[in-house]
Amino acid sequence: MGIMYILISISIFVAAVFLYLFIKSVKNGQFDDSYTPSVRMLFDDEIKSKEKKENKSQKQSN
């Protein structure tokens, strides 16, 4: 039964370390997406044309 307490305490410690590292990386901007906004402008016309087609089809069905 003593080994269970040791394993649980180790797993909580490891989880806390991963949580700390995740929060630290988010605050430092590790997960900021700098690539997608520059590419989004290339596909902006296609997205707008799809939205127009969807709006027209919704208006016709109503």
Side-chain angles (χ1 to χ4, degrees):
M1 190 67 179
I3 192 71
M4 292 296 287
Y5 295 126
I6 294 171
L7 290 175
I8 289 172
S9 62
I10 290 173
S11 65
I12 289 173
F13 176 74
V14 169
V17 168
F18 279 118
L19 179 64
Y20 170 75
L21 292 174
F22 174 74
I23 291 172
K24 184 178 175 184
S25 64
V26 168
K27 285 186 178 184
N28 287 336
Q30 181 72 27
F31 296 110
D32 288 348
D33 186 13
S34 61
Y35 177 70
T36 302
S38 63
V39 176
R40 189 179 301 141
M41 64 180 249
L42 299 174
F43 299 107
D44 192 35
D45 294 334
E46 293 176 12
I47 294 171
K48 286 181 181 179
S49 65
K50 287 181 183 178
E51 288 175 356
K52 286 181 183 179
K53 288 178 183 178
E54 290 175 0
N55 288 336
K56 286 181 182 179
S57 65
Q58 287 178 354
K59 286 180 182 179
Q60 290 174 355
S61 65
N62 291 334

